[in-house]
Amino acid sequence: MIGFVIISHSKNLADEVIKLCNEMKNYDFPIVNGSGKDKNILGSDPEVIKKAIELAYLEDGVLILGDIGSSISNAKKAVKLLDNFYNKDKIEIADAPLVEGAIVAMAINSGKATIEDIVLELKELKSFNKVD
Amino acid sequence: MIGFVIISHSKNLADEVIKLCNEMKNYDFPIVNGSGKDKNILGSDPEVIKKAIELAYLEDGVLILGDIGSSISNAKKAVKLLDNFYNKDKIEIADAPLVEGAIVAMAINSGKATIEDIVLELKELKSFNKVD
């Protein structure tokens, strides 16, 4: 089982993604909001994301999902800030859409799938056609 | 300028997507929440989406963005329910991630881009790599 960090440019949006995922998930694992910057609800910050990764950390790994460029670049900085207690090989930033990626990743996070399996599944999601 | 309909499996999540887009957009155009089913905040309904399309309708078109399969299939049903006042050739369901697609589409909705331009831009978004 892995933990999740959700980062949106809007902290409230990330909260709603987490609520939806908590409604849909079948197992118990942490999903932590890594959004926000100082007291602002818009934007993101490497130190805030670092703390979220620490809270979401499980031995099997942590998957980080972000929406726009700054969420992702701040997530990369956050991973670098972690101390050696955390196995960085098991901490991945998803190349996946925030909402759709979170829903798919939660659905397969049953304890059987490794973080590598989940990352692979999310890569396949990119070529999925929603409409046709 | 086109209008937008946002459909998430979670009505509150769609509200937060709309708030973020309203913060980020530079022009004035409607962004309407098409989520919800009866009094439930989870799920979607073709009649609710139909009303949202009518509210978001502009002559240049309406772009509908949804997150999961049922949002999209109910959007298709909703378009079929519209009467002939509405030009269905200008109403498109985006093959794009909900949050990222909305942000990109809003950013180029300046009045110069047609709905066809926006749909094309969203197609290109699919091959964008967030992480590398």
Side-chain angles (χ1 to χ4, degrees):
Chain A
M1 204 86 75
I2 67 165
F4 290 81
V5 172
I6 304 291
I7 314 164
S8 171
H9 190 63
S10 154
K11 190 174 182 176
N12 293 341
L13 200 167
D15 271 337
E16 293 300 334
V17 174
I18 293 170
K19 280 184 203 163
L20 178 60
C21 289
N22 280 331
E23 287 274 348
M24 297 179 97
K25 74 183 187 184
N26 295 313
Y27 297 90
D28 188 31
F29 50 82
I31 314 172
V32 180
N33 196 337
S35 319
K37 188 176 180 168
D38 300 325
K39 284 174 184 166
N40 295 321
I41 59 162
L42 290 184
S44 61
D45 177 79
E47 285 290 345
V48 173
I49 300 172
K50 173 177 173 272
K51 288 194 188 90
I53 297 170
E54 291 167 357
L55 285 170
Y57 190 78
L58 296 177
E59 266 189 26
D60 290 341
V62 176
L63 187 72
I64 304 167
L65 291 126
D67 54 1
I68 60 176
S70 54
S71 307
I72 303 289
S73 59
N74 284 326
K76 286 182 188 171
K77 287 177 194 163
V79 173
K80 285 185 189 153
L81 293 172
L82 289 167
D83 70 37
N84 290 332
F85 171 81
Y86 302 95
N87 180 357
K88 294 186 188 180
D89 292 341
K90 294 281 181 191
I91 300 173
E92 296 274 359
I93 303 168
D95 180 18
L98 181 67
V99 178
E100 295 84 348
I103 292 171
V104 166
M106 308 286 156
I108 54 178
N109 189 34
S110 63
K112 286 177 192 161
T114 65
I115 189 156
E116 292 82 7
D117 293 334
I118 295 173
V119 165
L120 193 68
E121 188 76 24
L122 291 179
K123 266 199 206 310
E124 286 170 13
L125 179 66
K126 289 187 76 173
S127 55
F128 175 76
N129 286 326
K130 275 189 173 178
V131 181
D132 299 318
Chain B
M1 204 86 75
I2 65 163
F4 290 81
V5 172
I6 303 291
I7 314 165
S8 171
H9 190 62
S10 153
K11 190 173 181 177
N12 293 341
L13 200 167
D15 271 338
E16 292 301 334
V17 174
I18 293 169
K19 280 183 204 162
L20 178 60
C21 289
N22 280 330
E23 287 275 348
M24 297 178 95
K25 72 183 187 183
N26 294 313
Y27 296 90
D28 188 31
F29 49 83
I31 313 172
V32 181
N33 195 336
S35 317
K37 186 175 181 169
D38 300 325
K39 283 173 186 167
N40 296 319
I41 60 160
L42 289 184
S44 60
D45 177 79
E47 285 289 346
V48 173
I49 300 171
K50 173 177 174 272
K51 287 193 189 90
I53 297 169
E54 291 167 356
L55 284 170
Y57 191 77
L58 295 177
E59 264 188 29
D60 289 341
V62 176
L63 186 72
I64 304 168
L65 290 126
D67 53 2
I68 59 177
S70 54
S71 307
I72 304 291
S73 58
N74 284 326
K76 286 182 187 171
K77 287 178 194 163
V79 173
K80 285 186 188 151
L81 293 172
L82 289 167
D83 71 37
N84 290 333
F85 171 81
Y86 301 96
N87 180 357
K88 293 185 188 180
D89 291 341
K90 293 282 181 191
I91 300 173
E92 296 275 358
I93 302 168
D95 181 18
L98 181 68
V99 178
E100 295 84 349
I103 292 171
V104 167
M106 307 287 155
I108 54 177
N109 189 34
S110 63
K112 286 177 193 161
T114 64
I115 188 156
E116 293 81 6
D117 294 334
I118 294 174
V119 165
L120 193 69
E121 188 76 24
L122 291 178
K123 267 199 206 310
E124 285 171 14
L125 179 66
K126 289 186 77 172
S127 55
F128 176 75
N129 286 327
K130 275 189 175 179
V131 180
D132 299 317

